[in-house]
Amino acid sequence: MKIIEQQEGKLIKVHLFIAFLALAIGGFAGLLQVLVKTGKVVLPFNISYYQVLTVHGVLLALVFTTFFIFGFMFAAVSKTAGTFSTKMLLLAWTGFFLMLAGTIMAAWMILMNKATVLYTFYAPLQAHAIFYIGLALFFIGTWLEGLAIILHYTRWKKTHKNMLSPLLTFMAVVNSTMWIIASFGVAGSIIFQLIPWSLGWHSTVNVAISRTLFWYFGHPLVYFWLLSAYMAWYVVIPKVIGWKLYSDSLARLAFLLFLIFSIPVGFHHQLMEPGISHNWKFFQVILTFVVIIPSLMTAFSMFATFESFARSKKAAGLLGWFKQLPWGDARFVVPFIGMLAFIPGGAGGIINASSQMNAVVHNTTWITGHFHLTISTTVTLTFFGVSYWLIGHLTGRTLTKKINRLAIIQGILWAIGMTIMSGSMHIAGLLGAPRRTAFTDYGGAAQAKKWIGYQLAQAVGGSILFISILLVLFIVIYLAFFSPKGVQEFPIAEMGRSSEKPLLLLENWLLWIGITLFVIIIAYAIPLYSMIQHAPPGSSGYQLW
Ligand code: HAS
């Protein structure tokens, strides 16, 4: 099978390098955070809890994920749809340098304490204009990279008339399309609201609109992370266990449902906010329950893959399939722990989305617990599992037995650390512990007493997670530079059912993107209009500022 060409290999490697650098610094900031939250550790040089929280959130939620995902998508597309043309590579490299420049500008402002606005950079918290300009460059860079993937796919389609595209390429195209449509929202807010406001061209900002445009992007952002993990679950994991893809059409349909329903659901992050009619909130809550369906389809597909593989090995009984899975292979075990975490993580998401229950958990550490299960375990462990073969594939080095064992230990440590940390975040949240709040801002020691024990547990869990991150970094460096030379496979599963007919309708983009835009307009047009119409007091109405 084709090895990834050198030029693309370089592009993918620099993406992974930035991602793991962000993981190292962001992970260290996470350790500082859990320690400071116990009230027993004070940061030196007047560094605030909120500044460290901003470093942690921006580097891990935005930088680590986005660079890793584009690196992985370039690898997947190049492997399955062929080498990128020079023009497409140029486009992708331009995108990469814009993203890098934007990241450096934003990081510089955060380190100078001029952008302590957390990863959601909600107005009316205001950062230095350079931070917002950096973010704008970052998003423009991602559009160029996404465009390179989409154009490469269109070229493939031209030369393969009436053929269904390779599944991994199709998935990368859906994910890039979703990202581009969604990030127009937040980029619009940055360019038209936050930059002019931070430069002093306007003294006010329409907070409701800026938050709405952020969440128009913020929810598909979490699915951008998730779909990248699902690419590996659907296509890579079956091959790793020595089996086939359960159903090509089911996988494509699940991805298209994510494209349509990921975006018009942002209000479920704003259920407790004023300025949005409860009818529109209710409508988006319904759509949120619709977007759970493709995740249930994915769970079904994974169970079907595991079970049919195990039955082929003559496994019997209700749980016999479980024993047949390759428990000694880190490429399987590490992402599998991620899958397990998504069962409580997904259930927590359903609780969050259930309007009345959201009133109990909103802005408490329950939410922090939820996303440490979903993004920081389900998705992140899948990314680690992918790195354990992708880096070797790119550097021409193999995953040795010892490193494989260390990688499994890494995954288990993560599971232990996260169970303690996320578990105590969930419980403390139910006891009323507010999220994103420094120990000194709790409003009295008596208040904090209710959950301080859980905060200590979070410090224990967080420290175990940090040790696990150190292991990841060691393994990644070893695979990149020191592992024995050899060929490391890029695992891609074959179609499972030879009888399955390719459904060309699944690549009718006019139809799918058309439906996506239609649902977005229905969900957002009127509420946004009414936010502009009822602009905040002091403004003259009908405006963004
Ligand atoms: Fe969420 C808040 C609702 C999924 C991330 N979420 C957040 C925030 C983040 C985040 C970062 O409705 C905080 C944002 C902030 O800073 O304010 N979330 C949901 C719902 C889902 C969901 C309904 N979230 C995710 C995923 C994330 C993520 C995925 C990252 C990757 N979330 C919310 C809501 C809020 C929220 C509200 C706002 C709360 C507030 O008030 O602020 C659904 O997509 C979940 C569906 C998932 C499932 C699980 C399917 C299970 C599978 C595993 C199969 C296992 C196998 C192994 C095969 C139904 C696919 C089996 C083996 C065995 C042996 C059993």
Side-chain angles (χ1 to χ4, degrees):
M1 198 178 246
K2 175 186 162 292
I3 299 285
I4 290 173
E5 299 294 335
Q6 230 186 1
Q7 274 308 312
E8 278 137 290
K10 259 191 213 158
L11 179 71
I12 300 161
K13 279 189 263 185
V14 289
H15 277 85
L16 299 188
F17 172 74
I18 304 288
F20 283 103
L21 188 65
L23 176 75
I25 307 171
F28 181 62
L31 176 70
L32 292 181
Q33 231 171 273
V34 282
L35 295 179
V36 168
K37 276 205 110 177
T38 60
K40 296 188 189 308
V41 175
V42 179
L43 289 169
F45 314 116
N46 270 340
I47 299 174
S48 79
Y49 161 79
Y50 300 102
Q51 192 179 357
V52 177
L53 180 56
T54 307
V55 172
H56 178 66
V58 170
L59 284 185
L60 295 185
L62 301 177
V63 181
F64 165 66
T65 51
T66 315
F67 278 93
F68 185 90
I69 290 170
F70 274 107
F72 177 43
M73 290 201 301
F74 280 124
V77 173
S78 154
K79 189 79 192 168
T80 55
T83 310
F84 280 67
S85 68
T86 319
K87 264 192 201 157
M88 285 312 113
L89 272 179
L90 192 68
L91 191 63
W93 275 108
T94 314
F96 170 78
F97 283 116
L98 281 178
M99 284 166 71
L100 187 62
T103 304
I104 293 171
M105 286 164 76
W108 172 37
M109 286 300 109
I110 296 171
L111 292 177
M112 303 290 291
N113 200 16
K114 292 196 165 151
T116 299
V117 289
L118 313 186
Y119 89 102
T120 40
F121 48 91
Y122 281 156
L125 284 178
Q126 194 185 55
H128 194 285
I130 293 180
F131 173 79
Y132 298 121
I133 296 169
L135 284 180
L137 290 180
F138 176 83
F139 282 110
I140 295 168
T142 62
W143 295 340
L144 299 188
E145 294 210 344
L147 204 61
I149 289 174
I150 295 169
L151 292 177
H152 183 63
Y153 159 84
T154 6
R155 196 186 67 161
W156 187 96
K157 283 297 278 182
K158 273 192 194 136
T159 49
H160 298 76
K161 288 234 157 39
N162 292 328
M163 277 174 72
L164 209 55
S165 59
L167 182 55
L168 269 184
T169 296
F170 173 89
M171 291 169 151
V173 169
V174 172
N175 211 15
S176 305
T177 309
M178 182 178 80
W179 171 267
I180 292 172
I181 299 177
S183 52
F184 275 148
V186 70
S189 166
I190 293 168
I191 294 168
F192 296 111
Q193 289 190 292
L194 302 178
I195 293 180
W197 175 56
S198 62
L199 286 172
W201 299 346
H202 294 281
S203 57
T204 55
V205 67
N206 188 327
V207 171
I209 291 187
S210 75
R211 289 172 76 106
T212 301
L213 289 177
F214 181 86
W215 284 119
Y216 163 91
F217 155 79
H219 201 76
L221 167 71
V222 315
Y223 287 124
F224 176 67
W225 302 330
L226 184 69
L227 291 196
S228 315
Y230 279 2
M231 285 169 69
W233 291 14
Y234 274 108
V235 184
V236 172
I237 294 293
K239 177 73 176 177
V240 167
I241 66 171
W243 196 233
K244 293 175 186 158
L245 179 70
Y246 173 68
S247 163
D248 180 281
S249 306
L250 181 139
R252 283 178 207 255
L253 183 64
F255 268 61
L256 288 173
L257 289 177
F258 275 117
L259 173 67
I260 297 171
F261 292 107
S262 283
I263 304 173
V265 295
F267 283 169
H268 73 223
H269 291 265
Q270 299 174 275
L271 292 174
M272 296 300 123
E273 280 179 28
I276 306 165
S277 133
H278 59 269
N279 294 325
W280 288 110
K281 287 181 180 170
F282 181 63
F283 180 58
Q284 294 210 10
V285 162
I286 293 176
L287 293 180
T288 304
F289 278 80
V290 176
V291 81
I292 292 168
I293 293 170
S295 275
L296 294 176
M297 287 162 66
T298 306
F300 171 80
S301 179
M302 295 319 296
F303 277 114
T305 305
F306 296 151
E307 184 168 357
S308 55
F309 162 72
R311 299 287 175 224
S312 77
K313 300 261 175 232
K314 308 274 177 278
L318 190 62
L319 295 174
W321 60 274
F322 193 74
K323 290 191 212 138
Q324 295 293 335
L325 296 170
W327 296 112
D329 189 339
R331 298 170 308 157
F332 165 75
V333 175
V334 177
F336 185 85
I337 297 172
M339 290 180 200
L340 278 184
F342 202 32
I343 298 174
I350 295 171
I351 291 173
N352 300 344
S354 309
S355 217
Q356 293 90 333
M357 281 199 264
N358 186 267
V360 179
V361 295
H362 182 65
N363 267 346
T364 70
T365 58
W366 166 282
I367 303 299
T368 328
H370 162 68
F371 67 71
H372 276 88
L373 281 182
T374 49
I375 172 64
S376 321
T377 306
T378 302
V379 172
T380 302
L381 283 187
T382 304
F383 289 177
F384 293 163
V386 166
S387 307
Y388 295 155
W389 53 261
L390 180 59
I391 293 177
H393 182 81
L394 295 169
T395 55
R397 296 178 187 274
T398 54
L399 177 66
T400 60
K401 271 192 183 153
K402 271 193 188 154
I403 290 295
N404 177 60
R405 211 171 307 135
L406 198 62
I408 294 180
I409 295 174
Q410 179 275 311
I412 294 171
L413 271 183
W414 196 279
I416 297 172
M418 195 55 89
T419 306
I420 299 173
M421 192 177 88
S422 169
S424 44
M425 281 170 170
H426 276 94
I427 302 173
L430 291 179
L431 294 172
R435 70 182 282 207
R436 303 176 140 178
T437 307
F439 185 81
T440 41
D441 292 338
Y442 276 152
Q447 178 81 346
K449 234 183 195 168
K450 281 192 268 174
W451 55 73
I452 190 69
Y454 295 102
Q455 229 122 266
L456 289 173
Q458 284 165 39
V460 173
S463 305
I464 299 174
L465 283 167
F466 186 66
I467 296 170
S468 186
I469 289 188
L470 292 180
L471 280 186
V472 175
L473 296 172
F474 172 78
I475 297 170
V476 163
I477 293 171
Y478 187 83
L479 288 174
F481 303 107
F482 304 107
S483 205
K485 288 271 178 194
V487 178
Q488 180 68 47
E489 182 196 19
F490 189 129
I492 296 178
E494 286 165 27
M495 278 259 264
R497 303 152 165 220
S498 45
S499 59
E500 189 177 328
K501 289 241 161 40
L503 270 178
L504 289 176
L505 178 75
L506 294 171
E507 288 194 87
N508 185 336
W509 297 106
L510 208 61
L511 175 72
W512 301 115
I513 296 179
I515 298 178
T516 305
L517 296 179
F518 176 74
V519 185
I520 291 173
I521 291 170
I522 299 281
Y524 272 112
I526 296 176
L528 267 174
Y529 174 74
S530 113
M531 281 173 207
I532 295 174
Q533 191 185 22
H534 302 107
S539 63
S540 51
Y542 290 103
Q543 60 186 40
L544 296 173
W545 301 282

